[in-house]
């Protein structure tokens, strides 16, 4: 029912020659929690606003379920107020002259929900978002996290099939953000509406979503389950954008890492000519080699620095003259200057061609 | 712990000596003393005068000069004559202010909406042109109105419509309607500014969220936008009331022919008829009204804080397409600008070039009002560019405004200096409050207070009545609030570090002031001086009671010509003033890149 389909959607803002969104084909399954992920200015907000009807695409079709909301060719453009969606802005955009209760019940009033019913739904959403006791306050009298929850309540009370969220957590401090993430996931599990969530925090995208759409420079790069995006990135941009610490990137043919390159590429006979970049995720570098099973690169690395984060140990290594980051979840007992044995399984290496597309080995 | 008296004395002596050696404290002390005298003494003396029998009153009433009396209060508030003296002008002032608000606020708000929130073509030009009526002297519109609608009741050059054979009725030519129209044309840009600031700072996402939850455009406007504009609305109302309370020229030009007086003109007539006691009481009443308006405004500003919108990241201001509304919107804006800017200016120019209004034939068209050696039908007068009176008035205007502006500007900088050097001291707080007081007092009442104090010799200070010195003094004190605000702002921004650095280098106070502080304050000084200067050039309410044949200013010269019915000459002088002000305004904006300075001042 509430499957969102974007077909060939494009957006060029008036007075600008660059496209803010280009040739976007995306099908968001019903009941999914999709994150739009990408660097600043890549078109995430624009995409969201087009779905909400606050911005008219320059081309393409937008459908929710069976309903056509926008069709450039046929001149269909359903106004925002008739789309029946929910949208939470990054700045919350609470109406400062209304109390919390008025803010939340405004939408119900617009939908002509009778008073007793309004009251019931208000109570339910306040309970869901733990906002009891704040009904009479003005937005200015709330903390950031409370404002954020009111903004969410204002939309959830309408029980929209589609809930759009534009970086709703970015104004919160780290602890609150973590709590709200859990809250969002809980709410999604409970209400089962389709959620599109914009963020440029890749960790947020990874942890929350059922699917991730990675965008860059107005173009959709990959749409997949989070672990797929992580393990099998479509291209170099996606590989670098997700993952922290970032993927180790070795440029083939560069003198400083010639030795490492040569030895890594030996593992892929036949691909030497095509591969231009080799990507190694920090956790793919195994510090306790098991030896013997499958194709793997083995060698000795020198420890340059040890960076414990509390739960894991990040190591700065030098391997065949090339610097690498590795990560270990077990306590690392060595010290800078030590020589250690490392192993990288061939299956966990990522190879990219000249265009930055990943090569399936 | 008991301290010996000798010890305490020594400590007090040391403190006094170090205070004397500290130039900042000396400066603060001097400022407190001077400003108290200039701001408070006139008001106090006026207040005292309302209870004391004057020389003239003594002759009328037989009471001893200088004895205590309440008769002025009685006359103004409680006798049958009070109706003419006070109550009717009060009622009319409130009525006019209300009607001006009703006309100017919707116009200003609509213009602000079109310019801020829609894709109106040419909005930059509209927004620039719309500030012009505000920069022009407030009474320009009155002279234009008279030029157009004057009828047989008044002598001198006929009005345009009269000479076309359409004699305008009195209600159209003089009194309430024209006063309201002219004041509204002058103040609507202010409503425009307030509303466009409010609209500009409003997060577009507030409206968008309402639409997302299902509100239609009309509902969004009514339930979301309108309540958030309430503070702008209240401020516009109060500002317009303050303006009407303080403006003299318009009601004088348009009201006098039919004896329609507002409070400023009522005060003026009382003063002219030789009863300082009565005019002081009226002035006092006006001050009270002024103060309460400001107090109400302050209350609303505090209330409005609750409405401050939170976090606006991610809101690029979005304009909505006018679509089919484009033509009506353009027509509305063109009409607004046409009526408030183009038509008045054209009227002034054409009127100053024709003998008979509306007749552009060869025997009517003339440059005599500008450069004629003598003018037919106006014996003894010559064109404004050859008239010694006008040149003298222009010179007087320039030098008094310049002197007042410099005095106010430097006083402002010094107040700012004291305020930054010792931000929490008692004298700083006192100076800040004190320098704001003149703002509360309507211009004409302020002038009345000054005349009361300086009309006669008091101690070392000679009688200043009838001198340019008094004009300069009144102006500089009245403009102090703007200069002090500018001075405090720019000194605060600079902070103490530059001066302290010079101090560490061993520079004495005078060198620090002349080499570091004042040069760094150039920008602040410009706004603190230029604004009062421009305001002074168009000042009428403040100086009308001070002007006498030797001390005419350009603005009072206009009124003299109007009184005699010499519209062409009056209009030529008005144009001169407008040209000087606009040139100054543009020049300063070029130099400083700042917003229109003239638009901030009073007219
Ligand atoms: N109203 C507008 N008019 C013109 N250009 C715009 C407008 N809104 C966005 N853009 C441009 O479109 C591009 C995409 O903007 P968008 O707001 O969608 O980025 P985003 O991915 O949400 O970025 P961020 O993470 O910074 O919020 C940017 O280059 C931006 O400058
Ligand atoms: Mg964005």
């Amino acid at each position: 029912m509430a499957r969102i389909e974007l077909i060939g959607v494009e957006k060029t803002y008036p007075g600008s020659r660059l496209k803010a969104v280009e040739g976007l084909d995306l099908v968001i399954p019903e009941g999914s929690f999709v994150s739009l992920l990408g660097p600043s200015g890549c078109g995430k907000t624009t995409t969201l606003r087009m779905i909400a009807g606050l911005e008219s695409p320059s081309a393409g079709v937008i459908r929710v379920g069976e309903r056509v909301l926008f069709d450039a060719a046929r001149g269909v453009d359903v106004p925002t107020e008739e789309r029946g969606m929910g949208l939470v802005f990054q700045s919350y955009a609470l109406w400062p002259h209304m109390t919390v209760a008025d803010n939340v019940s405004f939408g119900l009033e617009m939908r002509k929900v009778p008073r007793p019913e309004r009251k019931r739904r208000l109570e339910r959403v306040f309970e869901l978002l733990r906002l009891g006791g704040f009904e009479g306050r003005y937005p200015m009298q709330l903390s950031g996290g409370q404002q954020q929850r009111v903004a969410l309540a204002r939309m959830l009370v309408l029980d929209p099939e589609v809930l759009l969220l534009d970086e709703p957590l970015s104004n919160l401090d780290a602890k609150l953000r973590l709590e709200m993430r859990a809250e969002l996931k809980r709410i999604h599990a409970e209400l089962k509406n389709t959620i599109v969530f914009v963020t440029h925090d890749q960790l947020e995208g990874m942890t929350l979503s059922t699917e991730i759409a990675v965008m860059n420079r107005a173009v959709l790069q990959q749409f997949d389950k989070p672990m797929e995006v992580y393990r099998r990135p479509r291209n170099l941009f996606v590989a670098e954008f997700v993952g922290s610490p970032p993927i180790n990137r070795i440029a083939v043919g560069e003198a400083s890492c010639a030795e490492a390159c040569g030895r890594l590429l030996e593992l892929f006979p036949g691909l030497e000519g095509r591969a231009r970049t080799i990507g190694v995720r920090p956790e793919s570098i195994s510090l306790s080699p098991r030896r013997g099973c499958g194709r793997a690169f083995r060698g000795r690395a020198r420890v340059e620095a040890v960076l414990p984060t509390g739960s894991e140990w990040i190591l700065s290594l030098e391997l065949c003259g090339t610097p690498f980051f590795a990560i270990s979840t077990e306590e690392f007992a060595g010290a800078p200057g030590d020589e250690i044995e490392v192993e990288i399984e061939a299956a966990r290496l990522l190879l990219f061609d000249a265009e930055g597309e990943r090569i399936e080995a | 712990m008991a301290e010996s008296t000798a010890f305490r004395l020594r400590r007090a002596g040391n403190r006094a000596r170090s205070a004397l050696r500290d130039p900042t404290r000396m400066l603060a002390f001097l400022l407190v003393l001077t400003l108290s005298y200039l701001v408070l003494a006139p008001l106090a003396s006026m207040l005292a005068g309302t209870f004391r029998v004057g020389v003239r009153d003594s002759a009328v009433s037989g009471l001893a000069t200088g004895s205590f009396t309440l008769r002025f209060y009685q006359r103004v508030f409680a006798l049958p004559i009070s109706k003419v003296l006070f109550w009717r002008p009060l009622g009319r002032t409130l009525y006019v202010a209300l009607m001006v608000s009703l006309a100017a606020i919707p116009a200003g708000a609509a213009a602000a909406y079109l310019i801020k929130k829609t894709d109106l073509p040419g909005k930059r030009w509209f927004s620039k042109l719309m500030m012009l009526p505000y920069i022009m002297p407030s009474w320009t519109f009155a002279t234009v109105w008279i030029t157009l609608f004057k009828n047989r009741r008044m002598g001198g050059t006929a009005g345009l419509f009269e000479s076309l054979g359409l004699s305008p009725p009195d209600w159209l030519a003089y009194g309430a309607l024209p006063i309201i129209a002219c004041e509204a044309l002058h103040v609507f840009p202010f409503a425009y500014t307030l509303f466009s600031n409010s609209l500009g700072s409003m997060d577009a996402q507030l409206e968008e969220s309402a639409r997302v939850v299902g509100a239609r455009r009309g509902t969004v406007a009514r339930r979301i936008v309108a309540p958030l504009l309430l503070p702008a609305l209240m401020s516009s109302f109060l500002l317009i009331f303050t303006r009407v309370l303080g403006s003299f020229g318009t009601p004088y030009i348009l009201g006098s022919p039919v004896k329609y007086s507002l409070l400023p003109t009522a005060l003026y007539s009382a003063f002219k008829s030789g009863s300082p006691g009565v005019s002081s009481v009226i002035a006092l009443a006006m001050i009270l009204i002024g103060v309460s308006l400001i107090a109400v405004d302050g209350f609303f500003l505090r209330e409005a804080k609750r409405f401050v919108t939170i976090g606006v990241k991610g809101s690029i201001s979005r304009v909505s397409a006018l679509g089919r509304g484009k033509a009506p919107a353009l027509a509305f804006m063109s009409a607004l600008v046409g009526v408030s800017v183009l038509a008045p200016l054209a009227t002034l120019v054409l009127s100053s070039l024709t003998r008979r209004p509306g007749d552009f034939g060869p025997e009517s068209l003339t440059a005599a009002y500008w450069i004629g050696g003598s003018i037919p039908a106006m014996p003894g007068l010559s064109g404004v560019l050859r008239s010694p009176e006008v040149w003298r008035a222009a010179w007087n205007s320039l030098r008094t405004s310049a002197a007042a502006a410099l005095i106010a500007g430097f006083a402002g900088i010094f107040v700012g200096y004291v305020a930054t050097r010792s931000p929490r001291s008692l004298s700083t707080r006192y100076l800040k409050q004190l320098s704001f007081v003149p703002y509360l007092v309507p211009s004409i009442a302020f002038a009345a207070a000054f005349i009361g104090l300086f009309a006669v010799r008091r101690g070392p200070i000679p009688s200043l009545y009838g001198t340019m010195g008094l004009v300069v003094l009144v102006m500089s004190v009245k403009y102090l609030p703007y200069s002090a605000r500018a001075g405090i702002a720019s000194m605060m921004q600079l902070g103490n570090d530059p001066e302290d650095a010079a101090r560490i280098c061993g520079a004495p106070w005078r060198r620090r002031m002349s080499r570091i502080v004042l040069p760094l304050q150039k920008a602040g000084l410009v706004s603190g001086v230029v604004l009062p200067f421009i305001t002074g050039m168009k000042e009428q309410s403040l100086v009308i009671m001070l002007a006498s044949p030797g001390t005419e200013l350009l603005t009072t010269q206009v009124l003299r010509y109007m009184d005699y019915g010499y519209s062409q000459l009056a209009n030529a002088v008005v144009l001169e003033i407008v040209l000087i002000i606009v040139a100054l305004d543009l020049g300063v904006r070029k130099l400083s890149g700042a917003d229109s300075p003239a638009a901030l001042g009073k007219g």
Side-chain angles (χ1 to χ4, degrees):
Chain A
M1 275 197 309
R3 185 173 79 151
I4 308 172
E5 279 175 273
L6 302 163
I7 305 155
V9 170
E10 304 220 333
K11 174 70 187 180
T12 313
Y13 282 104
S16 146
R17 276 185 294 122
L18 288 176
K19 286 183 174 147
V21 172
E22 198 174 336
L24 178 60
D25 291 307
L26 182 61
V27 178
I28 297 172
E30 180 179 357
S32 58
F33 192 133
V34 172
S35 288
L36 288 183
L37 193 61
S40 188
C42 69
K44 307 178 296 285
T45 297
T46 306
T47 305
L48 207 67
R49 291 176 61 87
M50 289 192 293
I51 299 175
L54 292 168
E55 218 70 73
S56 297
S58 323
V61 175
I62 298 177
R63 259 201 306 262
V64 169
E66 295 308 308
R67 192 169 169 221
V68 178
L69 296 182
F70 182 88
D71 188 338
R74 288 197 292 143
V76 178
D77 191 357
V78 177
T80 301
E81 55 267 31
E82 288 166 20
R83 292 194 181 193
M85 296 181 173
L87 169 58
V88 178
F89 292 102
Q90 179 182 358
S91 69
Y92 314 148
L94 297 180
W95 301 304
H97 58 299
M98 296 184 189
T99 59
V100 168
D102 290 342
N103 262 283
V104 178
S105 64
F106 184 83
L108 295 173
E109 197 185 320
M110 291 300 118
R111 295 191 182 177
K112 308 212 165 56
V113 175
R115 250 169 222 286
E117 160 91 11
R118 246 189 257 171
K119 195 155 170 286
R120 256 197 9 253
R121 287 173 70 168
L122 225 59
E123 270 165 21
R124 209 174 56 210
V125 78
F126 280 159
E127 193 181 331
L128 183 72
L129 285 167
R130 308 195 179 105
L131 276 170
F134 295 111
E135 294 88 345
R137 297 234 202 143
Y138 284 93
M140 278 293 279
Q141 303 165 321
L142 298 178
S143 73
Q146 291 160 349
Q147 289 179 13
Q148 206 276 336
R149 292 207 293 262
V150 176
L152 206 54
R154 187 167 68 174
M155 296 300 154
L156 287 179
V157 77
L158 302 173
D159 199 11
E161 289 182 327
V162 174
L163 181 60
L164 310 170
L165 305 162
D166 192 354
E167 302 196 35
L169 307 185
S170 61
N171 282 349
L172 304 180
D173 61 45
K175 181 168 172 287
L176 205 53
R177 200 179 317 178
L178 204 63
E179 278 175 30
M180 284 310 296
R181 275 185 207 154
E183 195 110 323
L184 272 178
K185 212 155 180 170
R186 174 175 70 85
I187 289 165
H188 180 243
E190 197 161 318
L191 304 179
K192 300 195 172 54
N193 30 22
T194 311
I195 293 183
V196 184
F197 181 92
V198 165
T199 177
H200 54 238
D201 179 339
Q202 50 98 16
L203 190 63
E204 207 161 87
M206 292 291 291
T207 50
L208 280 177
S209 348
T210 56
E211 274 94 10
I212 293 182
V214 184
M215 293 182 74
N216 187 33
R217 302 210 183 153
V219 178
L220 177 67
Q221 307 290 322
Q222 186 168 6
F223 180 68
D224 242 323
K225 299 215 171 347
M227 280 326 285
E228 281 297 291
V229 171
Y230 187 78
R231 291 205 184 116
R232 300 161 54 80
R234 169 95 55 79
N235 57 32
L236 197 52
F237 172 81
V238 177
E240 289 195 293
F241 196 78
V242 293
S244 166
I247 195 164
N248 293 295
R249 183 182 162 164
I250 305 143
V252 175
E254 211 165 271
S256 64
C257 49
E259 193 197 339
C261 275
R263 293 197 47 199
L264 285 169
L265 284 175
E266 276 170 19
L267 299 170
F268 301 96
L271 288 178
E272 298 93 336
R274 279 177 67 203
R276 285 296 153 78
T277 313
I278 305 170
V280 186
R281 293 264 181 223
E283 72 279 8
S284 302
I285 302 178
S286 160
L287 305 177
S288 42
R290 282 160 294 174
R291 286 200 175 276
C293 44
R295 279 184 304 143
F297 163 93
R298 288 180 194 88
R300 294 185 72 76
R302 215 165 68 89
V303 178
E304 299 277 318
V306 184
L307 314 165
T309 67
S311 58
E312 36 185 45
W313 284 259
I314 299 172
L315 304 184
S316 166
L317 301 177
E318 200 201 276
L319 183 62
C320 312
T322 307
F324 276 86
F325 275 112
I327 196 162
S328 159
T329 47
E330 285 154 40
E331 174 148 11
F332 180 75
D338 287 1
E339 290 262 327
I340 57 167
E341 194 84 9
V342 298
E343 180 186 75
I344 307 172
E345 275 179 55
R348 300 184 70 174
L349 285 173
L350 301 170
L351 302 187
F352 301 94
D353 67 13
E355 272 72 54
E357 299 295 316
R358 190 166 58 82
I359 306 169
E360 292 280 352
Chain B
M1 201 175 69
E3 291 172 342
S4 75
T5 318
F7 176 78
R8 261 184 281 164
L9 267 178
R10 196 147 12 106
R11 186 174 60 188
N14 283 339
R15 279 192 182 165
R17 209 166 319 135
S18 65
L20 275 177
R21 264 201 318 238
D22 177 359
T24 312
R25 285 212 221 166
M26 277 304 288
L27 185 66
F29 181 69
L30 281 177
L31 279 173
V32 166
L33 221 61
T34 329
L35 293 185
S36 300
Y37 181 65
L38 288 177
V39 173
L40 297 182
L43 297 176
S45 119
M46 184 171 78
L47 182 64
T50 60
F51 295 110
R52 217 170 24 221
V53 177
V55 185
R56 272 258 195 102
D57 304 294
S58 150
V60 180
S61 60
L63 295 168
T65 306
S67 59
F68 177 84
T69 178
L70 283 175
R71 61 196 305 268
F72 303 126
Y73 286 90
Q74 217 175 8
R75 259 178 94 71
V76 172
F77 298 123
L79 289 182
I81 195 170
S82 312
K83 202 172 160 196
V84 182
L85 277 180
F86 182 74
W87 294 114
R88 198 182 287 154
L90 172 68
R92 284 171 173 170
T93 305
L94 297 179
Y95 169 72
V96 165
L98 182 68
M99 297 313 275
V100 170
S101 308
L102 292 184
I105 293 177
Y113 174 79
L114 289 175
I115 284 179
K116 280 279 160 179
K117 289 281 181 183
T118 71
D119 58 349
L120 182 83
K123 47 167 88 171
R124 274 175 42 125
W125 277 102
F126 281 124
S127 70
K128 280 204 173 114
L129 277 176
M130 256 186 333
M131 287 328 284
L132 261 182
Y134 203 65
I135 295 170
M136 295 192 290
S138 64
W139 37 269
T140 315
F141 295 98
T143 66
V144 168
W145 192 281
I146 282 288
T147 307
L148 295 175
F149 294 102
K150 184 155 97 170
N151 66 14
R152 249 161 262 167
R153 178 187 279 267
M154 277 174 86
T157 317
L160 175 74
F161 289 101
E162 182 82 39
S163 68
L164 293 177
L166 307 159
S167 184
D170 273 358
W171 58 263
L172 181 61
Y174 319 107
L177 175 78
I179 294 178
I180 291 165
C182 290
E183 295 276 16
L185 285 174
H186 175 62
V187 296
F188 90 86
F190 201 90
Y192 162 76
T193 314
L194 284 173
F195 276 89
S196 72
N197 286 346
S198 275
L199 281 172
S201 67
M202 198 186 302
D203 187 351
Q205 296 181 350
L206 293 177
E207 296 158 64
E208 290 172 352
S209 333
R211 287 182 49 211
V212 167
V213 300
R216 295 177 183 284
R217 265 170 190 265
T219 317
V220 176
R222 199 161 35 83
R223 298 282 303 275
I224 309 292
V225 180
L228 291 175
L229 290 179
L230 209 59
L233 180 72
M234 288 316 300
S235 286
S236 305
F237 252 112
L238 291 161
L239 198 105
I240 289 172
F241 271 75
T242 316
R243 294 259 149 175
V244 171
L245 195 65
S247 84
F248 170 80
T250 305
Y252 179 74
I253 295 170
L254 294 168
S256 312
V258 288
K259 307 234 163 9
Y260 190 90
S261 28
L262 305 187
L263 282 178
T265 37
L267 170 62
Y268 180 72
S269 336
F271 176 78
K272 279 279 156 183
S273 68
S275 177
V278 169
S279 59
S280 294
V281 174
I282 301 179
L284 225 51
M286 287 174 72
I287 293 173
L288 280 183
I289 300 173
V291 171
S292 32
L293 284 175
I294 304 280
V296 174
D297 193 32
F299 170 76
F300 277 109
L301 279 183
R302 272 195 305 281
E303 279 294 287
K305 288 245 170 72
R306 218 181 49 200
F307 287 4
V308 175
T309 39
I310 330 142
V312 285
K313 194 230 149 181
S315 73
I316 296 175
S317 95
R318 291 163 211 277
V319 297
S320 56
L322 279 168
R324 265 180 300 151
K326 194 170 272 181
L330 260 181
F332 168 75
M333 289 303 290
S334 313
L336 201 59
V337 170
V339 170
S340 66
V341 180
L342 304 180
L345 287 178
T347 307
L348 290 178
V349 172
L350 293 179
S351 141
S352 72
L353 291 174
T354 48
R355 265 184 250 273
R356 280 185 306 282
D359 178 357
F360 300 107
E363 74 276 29
S364 171
L365 215 54
T366 173
Y369 302 111
W370 286 98
I371 51 170
S374 65
I375 301 172
M378 298 184 186
L381 292 174
S382 43
V384 294
L385 293 179
R386 292 180 61 176
S387 152
E389 297 180 308
V390 175
W391 279 110
R392 192 168 56 237
W395 171 232
N396 282 344
S397 272
L398 283 171
R399 68 194 173 126
T400 48
S401 309
L406 283 173
I407 295 176
F410 274 98
I413 290 288
F414 286 131
V415 170
Y417 178 77
V418 170
T420 18
R421 292 273 16 158
S422 45
R424 276 182 225 307
S425 73
L426 197 63
S427 52
T428 295
R429 269 179 288 161
Y430 176 72
L431 281 175
K432 275 186 176 171
Q433 300 282 338
L434 191 67
S435 58
F436 185 65
V437 168
Y439 183 75
L440 304 172
V441 184
S443 297
I444 196 156
F446 202 65
F450 262 71
I451 293 171
L453 184 64
F454 292 104
V456 293
R457 187 193 168 91
R458 277 174 211 268
I461 300 159
S463 160
L464 293 174
Y465 190 58
T467 65
M468 293 307 330
L470 185 55
V471 179
V472 171
L473 204 59
V474 175
M475 276 192 187
S476 32
V477 181
K478 179 69 184 155
Y479 300 156
L480 185 65
Y482 306 114
S483 313
R485 220 167 40 178
I488 291 173
S490 76
M491 285 297 311
M492 285 286 180
Q493 201 181 9
L494 183 65
N496 290 328
D497 297 351
E499 195 199 344
D500 288 344
R503 195 176 204 163
I504 288 165
C505 299
W509 190 76
R510 277 179 46 197
R511 299 296 296 278
R512 295 199 305 263
M513 281 311 259
S514 63
R515 296 284 301 278
I516 310 288
V517 176
L518 291 178
L520 279 171
Q521 283 307 309
K522 253 189 239 151
L525 208 54
V526 166
S527 60
V529 168
V530 172
L531 175 57
F533 182 67
I534 293 179
T535 313
M537 287 304 294
K538 53 184 179 175
E539 185 65 69
Q540 199 170 47
S541 318
L542 196 57
V543 296
I544 183 66
M545 298 210 287
L546 304 170
S548 54
T551 58
E552 293 286 7
L553 305 178
L554 277 178
T555 50
T556 56
Q557 190 65 43
V558 171
L559 292 183
R560 297 291 168 249
Y561 283 145
M562 296 295 289
D563 286 343
Y564 292 123
Y566 300 152
S567 305
Q568 291 95 333
L569 290 177
N571 288 344
V573 178
V574 174
L575 271 178
E576 241 182 281
I577 299 175
V578 170
L579 282 179
I580 294 176
I581 291 170
V582 172
L584 273 171
D585 187 62
L586 287 180
V588 171
R589 245 189 296 181
K590 264 258 149 60
L591 282 179
S592 67
D595 271 353
S596 165
L600 300 166
K602 284 193 160 202

